[in-house]
Amino acid sequence: MYTFTVNTSQGIVSVRTTQSSGKPVFFLHGNSACKEVFTKQFSHFGREYRLYAMDLPGHGESQNSKEPNATYNINGYADVALEVIQKLNLENPVLVGWSLGGHIALSMVQKGLKVAGVLITGTPPIPMSK
């Protein structure tokens, strides 16, 4: 498992990954958390799947957003995550979203990301803004 950074339009984002060549699985954390909340998943599934977890802008080791009003909401976070996935050339990843991360994952699919699947947990139902 190792960590690297991706330069996005909203700042530098920190990403953790495994070295497996398996199916890509992209983890999205909840509010006020960071990519390290998925450490046990990385330890257990990291040999079978290519796992990724990013710190959302303003969280963990990622920089604060260059445009907070545009980024610090579900759709803004989704745009940054989509940018990271595109820069990493991930095709049809599985998205795993916890809490706020679940809402971000759903927004990413709504924005047209082709995925192999989506798993959300602890994601309370809220109306999506248009």
Side-chain angles (χ1 to χ4, degrees):
M1 168 167 38
Y2 64 97
T3 301
F4 61 95
T5 59
V6 175
N7 192 14
T8 74
S9 61
Q10 294 305 315
I12 296 173
V13 171
S14 181
V15 179
R16 175 180 276 187
T17 190
T18 58
Q19 296 185 11
S20 167
S21 60
K23 179 76 179 158
V25 180
F26 197 85
F27 290 84
L28 297 152
H29 64 75
N31 189 42
S32 301
C34 63
K35 64 188 176 304
E36 283 76 21
V37 300
F38 300 112
T39 297
K40 289 190 180 192
Q41 287 82 359
F42 271 56
S43 296
H44 187 75
F45 298 109
R47 290 193 175 108
E48 186 174 350
Y49 300 96
R50 181 70 184 248
L51 305 182
Y52 296 87
M54 65 177 268
D55 283 333
L56 296 171
H59 293 75
E61 297 176 311
S62 290
Q63 290 182 333
N64 291 333
S65 173
K66 294 177 181 177
E67 300 175 67
N69 290 336
T71 305
Y72 295 151
N73 58 68
I74 293 167
N75 288 320
Y77 286 134
D79 289 340
V80 173
L82 287 167
E83 196 174 339
V84 170
I85 285 174
Q86 180 183 24
K87 288 186 176 210
L88 296 176
N89 296 314
L90 301 184
E91 294 184 21
N92 299 316
V94 173
L95 299 180
V96 178
W98 165 58
S99 191
L100 171 63
H103 291 292
I104 296 166
L106 295 174
S107 178
M108 293 166 71
V109 172
Q110 186 177 37
K111 290 173 179 279
L113 179 65
K114 302 291 187 229
V115 297
V118 178
L119 173 86
I120 60 174
T121 181
T123 303
I126 61 170
M128 293 299 294
S129 62
K130 299 206 185 238

